[in-house]
Amino acid sequence: MSAGPAAEAGEGPGAAAARLTGRPVTGRRRLSATLTEVTLDGGQTVMVKRGDGSRAAPAEAAGLRWLADAGTVRVPVVHGHDRDWLVTDQVPVGRPGTRAAARFGRDLAALHAVGAPAFGAPPPDGPTDAYIGSAPMRNVPGSDWPHWYAEHRVLPYLRRAVDDGTVRRGEAEVIERACERLPELAGPAEPPARLHGDLWNGNVLWGADGQAWLIDPAAHGGHRETDLAMLHLFGCPHLDQVLDGYQDVAPLAEGWADRIGLHQLFPLLVHTVLFGRGYAGRAVTVARAALAR
């Protein structure tokens, strides 16, 4: 099922899973405030996630299906969703390994190569007003990556951070100058890639099947270096092997490593908005480094 009737007030994850899958529930285990492991009649285990806002679950469902349609990376199957709930396969978790990492890199390169209609293009049936984590994210299409990235991925979060007092006016000016210079700093022009969009290590599950699985996308059309920069942001097991596998399939443009900071401005400012000033300094540092090039 794709969308069901509006959830009744006070409906829990078990009831949501039963309604959206059409199968009785035999067990449940709460993992967090928003995520519950639910066992369906017959023994299948699914993950039931409550969305943060009425567009979060539809956006995530559309993103998972868009990534799955590429036939490259592994993502959990969507069993049902509505405005409040998302039900997907459970991924049995294993340990990261070098072979899985290299294959993940190759698969990620293949995903990016499938492409997108435009920078900022949402998945089919995905909302324009989507989310990255719990932060709103607008998917507004554009044809020129530097200008689109500045206008729709960096500056909206910078303005909010300034309004919230987590980024000082002088610091904001440094980031704004980096945005102005993006056309000359962005490297060779590339076509829009099909991005996971929130590819930090926590959204890469190393499965018991020896494969890497991707969860919680903020999928959209973007620059492929953005996904790779996100993997660098908080570290990723066997990242060197991931990159080697990626470059075996789709070599990156010269100077890509020097552009990692530019691509991290977006997630760093999202984290500044969500979690406070601790991330503001990192955003200013990478902007200054870009301006020094």
Side-chain angles (χ1 to χ4, degrees):
M1 300 173 65
S2 58
E8 296 180 4
E11 182 183 44
R19 176 170 56 80
L20 289 168
T21 65
R23 295 168 61 183
V25 167
T26 60
R28 60 186 63 80
R29 182 167 71 99
R30 185 174 292 275
L31 302 179
S32 71
T34 59
L35 191 64
T36 301
E37 187 180 271
V38 171
T39 304
L40 303 175
D41 185 41
Q44 182 182 9
T45 301
V46 294
M47 306 304 294
V48 182
K49 183 177 181 180
R50 185 174 186 94
D52 186 1
S54 63
R55 294 182 301 273
E60 187 171 336
L64 286 169
R65 288 173 172 143
W66 196 44
L67 299 184
D69 286 347
T72 56
V73 295
R74 286 155 182 78
V75 297
V77 172
V78 176
H79 292 289
H81 77 279
D82 60 15
R83 294 192 309 166
D84 301 291
W85 298 97
L86 174 67
V87 182
T88 65
D89 270 346
Q90 180 201 49
V91 177
V93 178
R95 296 176 61 85
T98 56
R99 291 182 63 184
R103 179 166 183 172
F104 169 40
R106 294 192 296 269
D107 291 346
L108 183 63
L111 170 71
H112 290 163
V114 170
F119 297 109
D125 301 322
T128 296
D129 292 303
Y131 286 85
I132 178 167
S134 59
M137 183 186 78
R138 282 184 59 80
N139 286 320
V140 179
S143 59
D144 175 79
W145 183 79
H147 291 97
W148 169 84
Y149 181 68
E151 183 177 356
H152 297 292
R153 288 296 181 265
V154 176
L155 295 177
Y157 302 95
L158 179 62
R159 295 185 189 109
R160 179 170 165 184
V162 170
D163 290 344
D164 292 345
T166 49
V167 171
R168 302 184 182 106
R169 185 65 256 173
E171 295 170 329
E173 290 171 357
V174 175
I175 297 172
E176 288 166 348
R177 288 202 302 274
C179 286
E180 290 168 0
R181 288 190 55 194
L182 272 172
E184 66 183 273
L185 296 174
E190 298 212 4
R194 188 170 302 196
L195 298 190
H196 176 280
D198 192 9
L199 197 58
W200 72 288
N201 178 50
N203 287 340
V204 181
L205 297 184
W206 301 92
D209 60 357
Q211 308 293 343
W213 292 71
L214 305 186
I215 62 170
D216 297 349
H220 62 278
H223 196 300
R224 62 187 180 134
E225 291 177 12
T226 302
D227 265 355
L228 297 175
M230 190 82 80
L231 283 176
H232 281 83
L233 188 57
F234 299 113
C236 175
H238 307 298
L239 183 55
D240 287 345
Q241 284 72 31
V242 174
L243 294 171
D244 287 346
Y246 191 101
Q247 299 239 55
D248 284 346
V249 173
L252 294 159
E254 183 178 354
W256 71 270
D258 295 329
R259 295 188 289 271
I260 290 173
L262 283 174
H263 289 270
Q264 289 178 343
L265 276 176
F266 166 45
L268 284 171
L269 288 168
V270 169
H271 277 71
T272 300
V273 166
L274 292 177
F275 305 115
R277 179 152 178 84
Y279 291 95
R282 293 181 66 180
V284 174
T285 295
V286 299
R288 285 197 174 114
L291 290 169
R293 285 168 50 193

